[in-house]
Amino acid sequence: MNSNSTSRPSTEINNSRQRNLKELLQAWDEVVAGTALPQPPAYTGPDVTLSRLVEHTEDVAPGTAFVARVREASDGHPYIPQAIEKGASVIIGQRAPEDLSAPLPERVPYLQVPDTAVALAWLSAAWEAFPSRELVVVGVTGTDGKTTTCNILYELMHAGGLRAGLLSTVRAVIGEVEEPLGLHVSTPEAPVVQRLLRRMVDAGLTHCILEATSHGLAQHRVGAVDFDVAVVTNITHEHLDYHGSYEAYFEAKARLFRYLTALSRIEAPQEPENPFKRQIVKTAVLNIDDDSYPKLLTVPAPRHMTYGIVRPADIAAEDIRESETGSTFMLHLPTGDRSVTLPLPGLFNVYNALAAATSASALGLSPDVIRDGLQALSTVPGRMERIEEGQPFLVIVDFAHTPNGLEQLLNTARAMAGPSSRIITVAGSAGKRDVAKRRMLAEIAARDADYVVLTAEDPRTEPVQEILEMMAESCIKAGAVEGETFWRIPDRGRAIYHALSLAQPKDIVLICGKGHEQSMCFGTTEYPWDERQATRAALQALREGKPAPDLGLPTYGEAEG
């Protein structure tokens, strides 16, 4: 079995139609000919009829092409013999044939490519006949706010009568069909992305909103997508464990904006049938108040549009008044100003709304449609989501898992709090991920909240206590006192219960880090977990005078730190 995580999403092409290898290579060549885009490799071997492209040996069967992906912690090349034994019809790899661990049988063609991730992206797009060339595609990237911005824009586009699909980290929406994605999914792998785009085209949709994470961009999962609008929310500290430096992380995000000009040079054999696609002006949507703005502005684009609050921008919010339930502000648009009541609390949500409004303006939606769409918004699952069980204090579940995201959430909570209100925060940090972030998260929580409960958040193969020890050290350095203003409770269910037990009337309890996710990883096992349900269960137990419920995590029997 391939060494990738057991929780991996499927990346296979599940399509009853077969494809010939040379047909895929020819289609790829026709699309990128004369451009600086990745070119298909020269191939002089026999043509092969394929049923799927796969990168995990458990998916291999006769008729499949096995793609030997090279990742940060895994390499598919050593698994080539297993793939051949299971009947793979073609092997696609980066290494020269003579550098493989075992000789290839003559009956199995080998296609050597410079980068298997790039090849998988373009072959997947060719398999689905390049569906993004038939859709207006809006890509949204950034450290925080991507999913919320995608969902806001989705609602605005529907308010404007556009037939739009959505592919975010929370869900895929194709017409009337909504599907959850895999556990801990960022941007899906290229075959899944291309298959979903093809389904959108076949369903008669004209637009798509695609959330593009740094991992998805760095690993070329959206490398063959013809983007028309590229949007950034912000770029702050995150995923440095994977990218190695802020500069590399920034460059991964910037790749989305480079796609605008790279793919705009494609000359399609014929004009797309979609009239919106023919008329769109490719646009980079930038947050003028974010530190990323000056560098992203240097990335060429046919059109740049800016949004902001502090600095003058193409689209701006002024006279902002925040409340517990949302914000009111004057929205300045190129085609007219509108007064908006946004039913999403927090200044960061005003920024998310501006990013979506700017994108909607780039797509040609009117000021009235944008205003009405913003005012009709509902809560995004796991984002500033209130949990109500009759308690006399406010409980909010939020996905905040980055330093910037947590800081913005705590600032919002402080603005919502009354003079006697206290803020109680539940926070953790994932195992096998950016270690520096743990100290930053703990320091922010200890500084900006009144009480902090540290707990597990997908520890994976790291001991929970070691992660919490690192976070506790930062809490102490920030002036918190263990047992008085902060606690270590490994079991997340017990931690939530304890935080809620501390709450008094008018307090605010923030449960951060998991949001919409539906599992928690301990070791290599994904345990079912729904933060909203866990919080409701804890509130009900407290109301009934019962102890913290056992919610099925392996840490339930562990005592507080």
Side-chain angles (χ1 to χ4, degrees):
M1 173 175 166
N2 200 312
S3 59
N4 286 355
S5 167
T6 56
S7 64
R8 62 164 180 87
S10 172
T11 60
E12 66 181 58
I13 297 281
N14 184 15
N15 193 320
S16 59
R17 297 175 295 174
Q18 296 180 325
R19 297 286 185 270
N20 292 332
L21 177 59
K22 290 188 175 180
E23 171 193 357
L24 295 176
L25 293 171
Q26 181 180 352
W28 177 359
D29 181 66
E30 290 175 353
V31 165
V32 301
T35 75
L37 292 164
Q39 304 292 310
Y43 177 69
T44 58
D47 202 2
V48 182
T49 300
L50 302 175
S51 59
R52 290 186 297 169
L53 301 165
V54 303
E55 62 168 288
H56 300 279
T57 52
E58 61 262 42
D59 296 326
V60 174
T64 55
F66 176 70
V67 183
R69 285 288 301 276
V70 177
R71 299 176 181 272
E72 180 187 22
S74 65
D75 184 349
H77 289 84
Y79 298 90
I80 289 175
Q82 293 182 29
I84 293 173
E85 184 179 350
K86 295 189 68 174
S89 297
V90 173
I91 303 297
I92 301 174
Q94 292 178 201
R95 296 184 188 175
E98 59 270 20
D99 294 335
L100 299 177
S101 58
L104 291 165
E106 292 185 5
R107 61 182 172 80
V108 181
Y110 184 75
L111 177 62
Q112 185 180 355
V113 298
D115 189 317
T116 46
V118 171
L120 181 61
W122 285 95
L123 289 170
S124 299
W127 190 291
E128 301 294 347
F130 295 95
S132 64
R133 292 165 66 191
E134 304 174 58
L135 293 165
V136 174
V137 184
V138 180
V140 180
T141 195
T143 304
D144 300 298
K146 296 184 298 296
T147 301
T148 300
T149 298
C150 285
N151 279 271
I152 294 173
L153 180 56
Y154 176 76
E155 297 300 333
L156 295 185
M157 292 167 76
H158 275 264
L162 299 178
R163 299 206 64 199
L166 173 66
L167 179 52
S168 75
T169 58
V170 177
R171 57 184 180 148
V173 183
I174 304 171
E176 302 301 319
V177 179
E178 180 174 329
E179 300 176 4
L181 296 174
L183 303 177
H184 302 289
V185 168
S186 57
T187 303
E189 294 289 348
V192 177
V193 169
Q194 296 295 337
R195 184 171 69 247
L196 291 170
L197 292 176
R198 170 49 55 190
R199 286 177 55 191
M200 291 180 188
V201 173
D202 292 345
L205 305 187
T206 57
H207 294 68
C208 170
I209 306 158
L210 198 165
E211 183 175 343
T213 65
S214 62
H215 285 75
L217 289 161
Q219 296 176 12
H220 303 281
R221 300 177 197 173
V222 295
V225 174
D226 184 10
F227 288 99
D228 299 288
V229 179
V231 187
V232 68
T233 55
N234 49 64
I235 302 180
T236 61
H237 183 108
E238 176 67 333
H239 295 310
L240 301 195
D241 59 303
Y242 176 81
H243 297 283
S245 67
Y246 175 83
E247 290 71 24
Y249 175 58
F250 177 90
E251 282 305 314
K253 297 291 191 185
R255 183 172 286 174
L256 175 64
F257 296 86
R258 301 189 197 283
Y259 286 151
L260 286 176
T261 52
L263 293 177
S264 67
R265 292 196 299 274
I266 293 175
E267 292 186 5
Q270 59 186 22
E271 286 287 325
E273 294 183 7
N274 182 350
F276 297 102
K277 186 75 169 181
R278 293 198 299 266
Q279 299 163 8
I280 189 70
V281 177
K282 288 179 178 280
T283 305
V285 174
L286 307 180
N287 180 350
I288 201 169
D289 294 338
D290 191 66
D291 290 342
S292 64
Y293 172 71
K295 289 181 69 175
L296 287 178
L297 187 62
T298 66
V299 179
R303 177 172 64 174
H304 288 92
M305 292 183 69
T306 60
Y307 67 92
I309 296 172
V310 179
R311 297 183 178 94
D314 296 320
I315 292 180
E318 292 184 354
D319 301 324
I320 301 169
R321 299 181 182 182
E322 297 184 64
S323 71
E324 243 186 62
T325 57
S327 304
T328 61
F329 55 88
M330 181 61 68
L331 176 65
H332 295 292
L333 295 162
T335 51
D337 297 347
R338 296 293 186 274
S339 177
V340 173
T341 299
L342 182 71
L344 303 177
L347 190 64
F348 59 89
N349 272 323
V350 177
Y351 274 104
N352 294 335
L354 287 174
T358 308
S359 305
S361 182
L363 296 173
L365 296 184
S366 72
D368 287 342
V369 165
I370 293 172
R371 176 202 58 205
D372 294 346
L374 290 176
Q375 296 190 149
L377 291 172
S378 57
T379 303
V380 178
R383 269 68 174 178
M384 285 293 288
E385 185 172 352
R386 297 186 179 210
I387 306 298
E388 299 287 354
E389 289 290 334
Q391 75 277 1
F393 48 86
L394 181 59
V395 180
I396 294 173
V397 168
D398 192 82
F399 191 48
H401 65 289
T402 68
N404 178 69
L406 182 60
E407 186 171 32
Q408 294 299 320
L409 178 64
L410 284 164
N411 287 343
T412 297
R414 187 63 67 187
M416 294 166 59
S420 61
S421 301
R422 302 172 306 166
I423 297 175
I424 303 163
T425 301
V426 177
S429 191
K432 309 302 288 185
R433 296 294 185 267
D434 190 346
V435 174
K437 187 174 74 169
R438 300 172 188 175
R439 299 188 186 279
M440 297 169 71
L441 288 166
E443 181 181 351
I444 290 167
R447 182 192 70 203
D448 295 344
D450 297 289
Y451 298 110
V452 179
V453 183
L454 303 175
T455 190
E457 182 194 306
D458 297 298
R460 297 183 172 86
T461 55
E462 285 195 66
V464 179
Q465 293 288 8
E466 290 185 10
I467 297 173
L468 299 187
E469 174 66 25
M470 189 177 297
M471 297 186 77
E473 290 174 359
S474 291
C475 282
I476 292 169
K477 287 181 180 178
V481 179
E482 188 157 13
E484 295 183 15
T485 58
F486 88 93
W487 294 261
R488 281 181 268 181
I489 304 178
D491 185 72
R492 196 169 179 93
R494 288 186 181 275
I496 292 171
Y497 181 92
H498 181 73
L500 296 171
S501 72
L502 296 172
Q504 299 175 3
K506 299 185 179 181
D507 284 349
I508 300 176
V509 181
L510 304 175
I511 302 171
C512 309
K514 293 295 294 176
H516 65 284
E517 294 184 338
Q518 293 297 295
S519 73
M520 188 135 49
C521 186
F522 290 83
T524 58
T525 302
E526 295 286 349
Y527 291 82
W529 181 262
D530 185 309
E531 197 89 299
R532 286 79 54 93
Q533 292 181 7
T535 303
R536 290 189 180 95
L539 285 168
Q540 291 168 6
L542 281 167
R543 185 174 62 242
E544 296 169 5
K546 296 179 179 179
D550 183 351
L551 300 176
L553 299 180
T555 47
Y556 182 73
E558 296 185 27
E560 297 180 16

